[in-house]
Amino acid sequence: MAGGEQPEASSVVSDLIDFLNASPTAFHAVDEAKKRLKNAGFEQVSEREDWKLQVGKKYFFTRNYSTIVAFAIGKKYVAGNGFHIVGAHTDSPALKLMPVTKVAKGGYLEVGVQTYGGGLWHTWFDRDLSIAGRLMIRKGKGDSASYFHQLVRIEEPIMRIPTLAIHLDRGVNDGFKVNPQSHLVPVLATSIKAELNKSVAEKGDNKKHHSLLLELLAAQAGCEPDEICDFELQLCDTQPSTIAGAMKEFIFSGRLDNLCMSFCSLKALIDATLPESSLEDETGIRMVALFDHEEVGSSSAQGAGSPAMLDALARITNSFSSSDAKLLEKAIQRSFLVSADMAHALHPNYMDKHEDNHQPKLHGGLVIKHNANQRYATNAVTSFLFREISERHQLPIQDFAVRNDMPCGSTIGPILASGVGIRTVDVGAPQLSMHSIREMCAVDDVRYSYEHFKAYFQEFSQLDAKVCVDVQL
């Protein structure tokens, strides 16, 4: 193996590649997470029903099928004890299909899209694109009709956003500014070829979408085009995720931000609760919460800005004691959140974009993010607790703070810290090309992240008991 890579590390990384390739959208990421949790003995519960939970058992629920929360209850847990959480997000910047996608001009059939999040949109040009997401499908008619959602993914490339030839724009290399309304419109087909397709021509009166597009989706979903009531779809790159580099030290993939952290936290929870004895001495609850809509501010029914996290903490606590309303407040103060979102690695061609003393490197381990203006929720206590786990396991750790003359991004950390009142540290694995259609990170950092999260789940209860803050001595 390249670089003396250990078999365990290779297994974690290859598992991540499988997860990435199975997850072109947030819906698919949740579906893949759900399969893995069920295989590991987690039981699904519904937010629409009462919960009957037991100590030593493992559960999960989904919201909108784009957010998923999984938790394992320690055998020594009692109501009012803390939750040890890793939070991440399932969404990534993308081009999502408009409610009305039908665009026809210049003899081409095109598909109307809208930008989602802050993507590097120039990277979407000249890529082999397809679509994925979910359909709302009707079965039956009239009073006997029923409706359900179904995930869909067209594997082969069916679209492309072509660049303009340099001969028609001689100044393009001096600075290409993308107009997201007029430039980011993918080509689906030419009009003349579509008209030669008899099945499409017969149903060519759809006013919202090209019949060709609906035919492709229906064939993939195993339904009729007129049974598709609505959809949430996005463009996706057809090039698969891969281990790459001359030394096989990198991962090249879309959606590393933030499926890499989603995967590492999920796998850590599964493996930290897999042996029957793993929860014997656990007094708290180990939890992973993967939210949708982080890239657009988290303000949705399934985003980190929703009551989803607080609802989960309350329902679990109340399942074991409904008589004391103050137990939830106690539990929150005994809880801890690791907000895990990918971090900016030092770029060799743009060294001046980093603060001199805060330059995270690939292969350098998880990055603790700091910001005095609370764009990250880290403080000295939370940073120490997370760093102490790394020292106990000889795992590398790094620090990041943005330059004073540059704006700072944010994460779900401050949203949950302020909304729930939970102690929080913001961390993430370093990466390059963040928000590109094709990003990159280091193989080593995947392993470090997984091991760090796993150790956190296994050891935080004992470690936190030794820390004295806001208590009388």
Side-chain angles (χ1 to χ4, degrees):
M1 296 178 189
E5 187 181 342
Q6 298 300 312
E8 181 184 0
S10 177
S11 174
V12 172
V13 173
S14 63
D15 205 10
L16 169 61
I17 297 297
D18 291 341
F19 184 85
L20 290 166
N21 284 328
S23 306
T25 73
F27 304 117
H28 289 82
V30 166
D31 192 61
E32 180 66 15
K34 178 179 173 180
K35 292 175 183 175
R36 290 166 181 255
L37 289 166
K38 281 191 169 183
N39 288 338
F42 283 72
E43 176 187 340
Q44 184 169 4
V45 293
S46 170
E47 290 190 287
R48 294 188 175 195
E49 308 293 339
D50 292 333
W51 291 0
K52 296 179 181 180
L53 309 178
Q54 300 177 44
V55 296
K57 300 294 185 180
K58 303 179 288 188
Y59 306 90
F60 74 91
F61 68 88
T62 66
R63 182 178 283 197
N64 188 52
Y65 218 83
S66 59
T67 287
I68 188 166
V69 178
F71 55 96
I73 305 171
K75 291 189 176 181
K76 294 185 178 179
Y77 170 80
V78 294
N81 285 3
F83 295 78
H84 313 138
I85 310 165
V86 179
H89 65 90
T90 58
D91 62 320
S92 303
L95 295 175
K96 300 201 172 189
L97 271 63
M98 289 274 198
V100 178
T101 64
K102 194 171 187 177
V103 178
K105 55 187 179 184
Y108 292 93
L109 303 187
E110 295 184 300
V111 177
V113 296
Q114 54 187 327
T115 57
Y116 174 86
L120 289 174
W121 303 124
H122 67 275
T123 65
W124 286 72
F125 286 79
D126 296 341
R127 303 291 301 189
D128 298 344
L129 303 173
S130 193
I131 52 176
R134 71 169 169 191
L135 308 177
M136 288 301 300
I137 296 176
R138 181 190 67 253
K139 286 297 182 183
K141 294 183 179 181
D143 293 339
S144 63
S146 60
Y147 306 87
F148 61 95
H149 92 144
Q150 181 173 327
L151 301 192
V152 66
R153 179 184 190 178
I154 298 176
E155 297 277 358
E156 64 269 18
I158 61 170
M159 299 186 200
R160 198 167 184 268
I161 305 173
T163 50
L164 183 65
I166 193 171
H167 315 82
L168 303 178
D169 184 7
R170 292 290 185 180
V172 66
N173 287 326
D174 298 327
F176 174 42
K177 183 173 177 59
V178 178
N179 183 313
Q181 176 62 28
S182 57
H183 295 158
L184 288 174
V185 189
V187 172
L188 179 68
T190 55
S191 301
I192 189 169
K193 285 292 184 181
E195 289 171 2
L196 292 175
N197 186 321
K198 291 183 179 179
S199 62
V200 171
E202 290 169 358
K203 299 168 181 155
D205 58 348
N206 191 293
K207 295 181 179 180
K208 294 180 66 175
H209 311 291
H210 292 302
S211 294
L212 175 58
L213 176 62
L214 294 178
E215 291 253 337
L216 290 170
L217 292 169
Q220 193 65 225
C223 68
E224 294 299 319
D226 61 0
E227 292 178 325
I228 299 174
C229 303
D230 210 338
F231 54 62
E232 289 178 81
L233 299 169
Q234 66 188 58
L235 302 193
C236 51
D237 193 358
T238 57
Q239 185 175 2
S241 306
T242 186
I243 299 171
M247 299 298 294
K248 301 298 181 185
E249 61 184 299
F250 303 127
I251 295 172
F252 296 166
S253 172
R255 307 175 306 286
L256 288 173
D257 175 23
N258 192 36
L259 291 186
C260 181
M261 291 294 91
S262 294
F263 165 83
C264 289
S265 59
L266 185 73
K267 183 173 177 60
L269 176 66
I270 290 172
D271 290 354
T273 59
L274 196 56
E276 290 187 9
S277 60
S278 60
L279 296 172
E280 287 287 347
D281 298 320
E282 179 59 76
T283 59
I285 291 177
R286 303 170 183 176
M287 176 181 284
V288 163
L290 309 180
F291 294 98
D292 194 5
H293 294 145
E294 188 275 342
E295 296 292 357
V296 292
S298 297
S299 295
S300 71
Q302 52 274 0
S306 75
M309 173 69 79
L310 195 56
D311 287 350
L313 303 189
R315 292 190 69 163
I316 296 169
T317 301
N318 294 337
S319 292
F320 293 92
S321 176
S322 58
S323 59
D324 188 348
K326 295 182 180 179
L327 284 175
L328 177 60
E329 298 170 11
K330 295 177 183 178
I332 290 171
Q333 294 308 311
R334 293 169 175 168
S335 298
F336 193 90
L337 168 69
V338 177
S339 168
D341 203 347
M342 297 295 277
H344 298 290
L346 179 68
H347 195 306
N349 301 336
Y350 301 90
M351 300 275 288
D352 59 335
K353 295 297 183 180
H354 275 74
E355 208 279 330
D356 290 345
N357 293 321
H358 301 88
Q359 300 182 339
K361 308 289 199 306
L362 296 182
H363 309 298
L366 279 169
V367 179
I368 299 179
K369 305 176 184 180
H370 309 259
N371 185 260
N373 296 302
Q374 293 301 293
R375 298 292 289 172
Y376 302 128
T378 305
N379 62 32
V381 176
T382 60
S383 176
F384 159 75
L385 284 164
F386 197 72
R387 196 185 307 275
E388 181 66 15
I389 292 171
S390 70
E391 292 184 2
R392 292 183 177 194
H393 292 265
Q394 292 80 52
L395 294 168
I397 200 81
Q398 308 180 78
D399 292 285
F400 173 77
V402 73
R403 289 172 56 103
N404 287 321
D405 56 0
M406 293 180 66
C408 181
S410 190
T411 68
I412 63 172
I415 295 171
L416 291 171
S418 60
V420 178
I422 187 171
R423 294 174 295 168
T424 302
V425 62
D426 267 295
V427 307
Q431 73 162 96
L432 294 172
S433 304
M434 186 179 288
H435 287 197
S436 170
I437 196 172
R438 197 76 176 166
E439 302 171 323
M440 66 181 287
C441 69
V443 163
D444 288 341
D445 293 320
V446 174
R447 175 173 60 88
Y448 294 145
S449 300
Y450 159 74
E451 291 182 353
H452 205 142
F453 294 152
K454 184 179 177 183
Y456 160 71
F457 284 129
Q458 293 171 328
E459 301 176 13
F460 185 80
S461 292
Q462 295 84 351
L463 175 60
D464 192 40
K466 300 176 181 180
V467 178
C468 296
V469 179
D470 296 326
V471 296
Q472 292 182 348
L473 300 178

